[in-house]
Amino acid sequence: FDRLMALDDPPTAVFALADEMAFGALQRARELGLDVPGDVSIIGVAALPALMYFLSVAFWVRIEAKRRS
């Protein structure tokens, strides 16, 4: 996350593949003094639905997996 935010043109959004990664990015953004979602949006895959309620400043995507036979 730090390397992304240190780029000359940092991203305006970060997509995390796991809830824990999104939570870590959100914590680090706050430590760096970044406004979420003003400076950077954080998008996570909501495998842990409870996190959606505690971290309402981030955007969560729920993906339903379908089994293929």
Side-chain angles (χ1 to χ4, degrees), residues 45-69:
V45 177
L48 304 173
L51 284 180
M52 291 187 294
Y53 300 104
F54 293 111
L55 304 175
S56 60
V57 296
F59 182 77
W60 300 90
V61 177
R62 178 92 173 134
I63 299 174
E64 296 291 331
K66 291 188 178 186
R67 179 179 243 172
R68 292 187 179 182
S69 30

Side-chain angles (χ1 to χ4, degrees):
F1 187 84
D2 287 7
R3 289 195 297 183
L4 288 173
M5 294 300 109
L7 293 171
D8 290 336
D9 188 19
T12 58
V14 175
F15 186 90
L17 295 178
D19 292 336
E20 296 83 1
M21 293 170 71
F23 182 71
L26 179 60
Q27 281 187 305
R28 188 61 184 141
R30 289 177 174 167
E31 290 170 359
L32 294 172
L34 297 171
D35 176 54
V36 178
D39 296 321
V40 62
S41 297
I42 298 173
I43 305 150
V45 177
L48 304 173
L51 284 180
M52 291 187 294
Y53 300 104
F54 293 111
L55 304 175
S56 60
V57 296
F59 182 77
W60 300 90
V61 177
R62 178 92 173 134
I63 299 174
E64 296 291 331
K66 291 188 178 186
R67 179 179 243 172
R68 292 187 179 182
S69 30

